[in-house]
Amino acid sequence: MLTAAGIGGCGCDRLGPSAGLTEGASTVWTDLWHIQIPWLEKVLRTVLVYGGLALLLRLGGKRDLAQLNSFDLVVMLLLSNVVQNAVIGNDNSLSGGLVGAAVLVAINAGVVRVSNRHPRLTQIFEGSPTVLVRDGRPVAGALHRLGLRRADVVAVFRQQGADNISEIKEATLSPGGTIVVTLNEESRDVTIRDLRAENARLIEQLRAEFSHALAGKPTDPASHAADPRSEPDDGASPRT
């Protein structure tokens, strides 16, 4: 004979697995969306890390941003891992990560818009371009101050069309890490505009010569005078 306790026990056994699944799903949902640290701390961590990295890159990052060698690349790759725990804190929730990402995007958008409206702030936040080469001569003081190797800089110059430093009128390192090279007039590549101008000049020259030929006028007086066939006939018979 089954007792009430037995019936109750059977019922609890049947409901046990489903109850466990429900509880597990609830735990997962809570871990995903429940921020484990205060919202204000999350925002402050993100803002402070952003400001700290911006300051570090402002002081010494112009060369690092250029990534002229493998050492600079290693530094840029490790930066995100170094500050990761400082940003997230004791929080692995999905909502916490989204909040941090939103704060980063919002801060960056605000800083960029404000600095664009005020050029003075742009110079403060990012700095000014540094001249590396002027009139075919490297600026040794700038290269030494930035810690740039001449071989790395020359490699970048060649990528931008300069076979030799003497061909460069000016080369600058921008605050964003881009090296901008301006070549001399005689060292620059021919552009489509130059080709079109040269083609137009040649076409006009051919038209002028063709018009002179139709009119019976010599195009080159010197060559016409040197041509024996153009000399007047004096009645003398040619020698045999």
Side-chain angles (χ1 to χ4, degrees):
M1 178 180 294
L2 295 176
T3 61
I7 297 174
C10 293
C12 290
D13 291 341
R14 293 192 185 97
L15 295 177
S18 60
L21 291 175
T22 303
E23 183 179 356
S26 177
T27 303
V28 171
W29 186 260
T30 301
D31 292 339
L32 282 175
W33 299 107
H34 178 68
I35 299 181
Q36 301 169 4
I37 62 175
W39 285 71
L40 181 59
E41 180 181 349
K42 172 67 69 174
V43 174
L44 287 178
R45 282 177 175 271
T46 306
V47 172
L48 293 177
V49 170
Y50 178 88
L53 285 179
L55 179 61
L56 290 175
L57 293 177
R58 172 66 179 86
L59 296 177
K62 188 185 297 184
R63 170 248 171 84
D64 293 330
L65 291 174
Q67 297 183 17
L68 298 180
N69 53 52
S70 58
F71 302 105
D72 299 332
L73 178 61
V74 169
V75 171
M76 298 306 296
L77 290 176
L78 291 178
L79 271 179
S80 60
N81 288 330
V82 170
V83 301
Q84 178 181 0
N85 292 334
V87 173
I88 65 175
N90 190 20
D91 180 23
N92 295 322
S93 64
L94 178 61
S95 57
L98 294 176
V99 168
V103 173
L104 276 177
V105 172
I107 293 175
N108 186 68
V111 170
V112 169
R113 284 168 173 77
V114 172
S115 60
N116 288 339
R117 293 179 181 178
H118 304 280
R120 179 62 179 172
L121 293 179
T122 302
Q123 185 175 1
I124 293 175
F125 289 147
E126 298 184 359
S128 57
T130 302
V131 179
L132 304 179
V133 177
R134 180 179 284 113
D135 295 330
R137 296 181 179 180
V139 182
L143 296 177
H144 179 73
R145 184 174 65 256
L146 295 173
L148 297 175
R149 296 185 300 183
R150 179 165 177 168
D152 297 331
V153 176
V154 170
V156 176
F157 292 161
R158 289 180 177 176
Q159 292 176 1
Q160 300 196 27
D163 295 331
N164 197 289
I165 294 182
S166 60
E167 300 178 355
I168 299 175
K169 181 179 180 181
E170 185 179 78
T172 59
L173 177 61
S174 65
T178 303
I179 295 180
V180 181
V181 177
T182 303
L183 299 177
N184 296 324
E185 292 290 340
E186 59 273 10
S187 301
R188 296 178 183 177
D189 295 333
V190 178
T191 62
I192 297 178
R193 181 179 180 181
D194 297 334
L195 289 176
R196 290 176 177 173
E198 183 66 18
N199 289 337
R201 188 188 68 80
L202 292 175
I203 291 174
E204 290 297 329
Q205 181 179 353
L206 290 175
R207 287 178 177 174
E209 293 178 358
F210 187 68
S211 299
H212 283 86
L214 291 179
K217 298 180 181 179
T219 57
D220 190 354
S223 61
H224 181 74
D227 191 354
R229 293 175 298 179
S230 63
E231 296 179 357
D233 188 7
D234 56 358
S237 60
R239 297 180 180 178
T240 58

